[in-house]
Amino acid sequence: MTTTLRPAGPEEPAVGGGRTRRWQICVNGRPVGGLRTTAQPRGDQWWGEIAELEVVEGHRRGRATVGALAAEEVLRGWGCTRVDVTVPAESTGGLRLAEALGYTERMRNLAKRLARFPELRTDVTVRPIGEADYAPWLEQAKAGYRHDLTASGLTPAQARAKCDADHRVLLPHGPATEGVALRQLLDGRGTRLGSLWLALRQDLLPDGRPLAWVMVVEVEQAHRGHGYGRTLMQVAERECLSAGVHDLGLNVFSANRVAIALYDSLGYRVTRRTLGKPLL
């Protein structure tokens, strides 16, 4: 039997100047599943993604494996130098397949359903990040993001390109960007202890509920280990509830074990895992 990919529709433009296409996985010309390939420009490089992979007939016959490998060839042809796959938390088979194909986990998506306003500690103050504070905060946020991207397996050039592209899209108007909450945590002397970047309506859940997203939560190096990360997450939850949003999600890089432990203790649960590898 011969397993191939066949276009399921025309190629379409993707957000940010990329390209995407849905494919059928076929055995001897007969559709048995499908997947989607997407390529996004990251500076002078292209970043690939394989998504919506499903086999509806003939499970455990290697059809998903062949489909994924064929999708990688499509992305190489589109000029991609790296590929990611996103696996739902409940898909143990999808995780095994990705690992067998050489993908390694680099990031997790977590989420929590918010029910009540958490109490904040009384020895800190929360203030907006305004124009005067924005430029140094942004540079620090971008430096931390580049560090995390590199730790997750990207090259420094890939990390810088992705960081710059993401911030241009997500903060087009700086602290005045609509639907964004930028907050800083201060002690009694006005010293900044940490900061928060929250997108209040980043996405919609399947039932139409808005999903907020923690883009950055950062505690200053000299003040780590004193519970301020927990406080910043509680600030995020309060901001969401004040805006009428009851679902909050975030990304955490898999190497950041301290952050993973914090989010677990706050009741956040894994919803998806992102795994990646270079396309050599």
Side-chain angles (χ1 to χ4, degrees):
M1 293 186 180
T2 302
T3 303
T4 58
L5 290 186
R6 183 168 66 192
E11 184 180 312
E12 300 172 339
V15 176
R19 55 197 294 194
T20 185
R21 192 168 202 172
R22 177 74 183 173
W23 304 83
Q24 292 179 330
I25 302 173
C26 298
V27 174
N28 294 337
R30 181 169 55 84
V32 297
L35 56 81
R36 178 177 294 277
T37 55
T38 301
Q40 295 281 4
R42 303 294 186 190
D44 59 355
Q45 305 164 55
W46 282 79
W47 195 286
E49 180 185 18
I50 301 171
E52 302 173 20
L53 174 60
E54 61 176 353
V55 172
V56 297
E57 181 181 325
H59 294 277
R60 301 183 184 277
R61 297 185 182 179
R63 292 169 179 176
T65 299
V66 174
L69 291 172
E72 290 180 8
E73 287 302 314
V74 169
L75 292 169
R76 286 190 183 93
W78 288 0
C80 295
T81 56
R82 186 175 177 86
V83 58
D84 278 350
V85 296
T86 300
V87 180
E90 66 274 10
S91 178
T92 55
L95 182 61
R96 287 197 300 269
L97 171 62
E99 292 174 342
L101 291 175
Y103 290 79
T104 57
E105 182 186 305
R106 67 180 191 85
M107 187 169 61
R108 300 176 184 180
N109 292 167
L110 310 178
K112 178 181 177 180
R113 177 70 174 166
L114 307 179
R116 61 181 181 83
F117 282 81
E119 294 292 331
L120 297 184
R121 54 198 292 174
T122 59
D123 60 340
V124 296
T125 303
V126 181
R127 292 182 184 172
I129 296 175
E131 290 289 348
D133 306 306
Y134 179 71
W137 169 83
L138 179 62
E139 184 51 43
Q140 183 178 6
K142 291 174 74 173
Y145 189 35
R146 290 193 299 267
H147 175 272
D148 287 342
L149 289 170
T150 303
S152 75
L154 278 62
T155 67
Q158 288 173 330
R160 181 171 294 278
K162 179 169 173 55
C163 175
D164 291 344
D166 287 352
H167 283 83
R168 280 195 300 271
V169 170
L170 296 169
L171 286 172
H173 306 296
T177 300
E178 186 176 357
V180 166
L182 299 179
R183 302 290 183 262
Q184 54 188 333
L185 193 67
L186 309 175
D187 67 12
R189 295 171 294 180
T191 301
R192 189 163 80 182
L193 306 170
S195 58
L196 168 72
W197 169 12
L198 177 68
L200 286 166
R201 283 173 171 80
Q202 178 72 2
D203 205 349
L204 292 176
L205 295 170
D207 62 2
R209 298 197 316 266
L211 175 66
W213 204 261
V214 175
M215 310 301 292
V216 172
V217 58
E218 181 73 18
V219 176
E220 300 292 335
Q221 182 71 41
H223 301 287
R224 293 177 182 173
H226 299 285
Y228 297 127
R230 178 178 296 273
T231 302
L232 285 165
M233 288 301 301
Q234 292 169 335
V235 171
E237 293 180 8
R238 292 177 65 90
E239 292 281 347
C240 288
L241 291 170
S242 295
V245 178
H246 291 265
D247 293 274
L248 179 59
L250 56 90
N251 296 328
V252 60
F253 288 95
S254 303
N256 194 343
R257 309 308 301 180
V258 172
I260 289 174
L262 169 63
Y263 301 139
D264 181 67
S265 73
L266 287 168
Y268 290 80
R269 297 293 177 260
V270 178
T271 57
R272 295 183 298 179
R273 302 175 189 271
T274 298
L275 300 92
K277 71 176 183 181
L279 287 175
L280 302 177

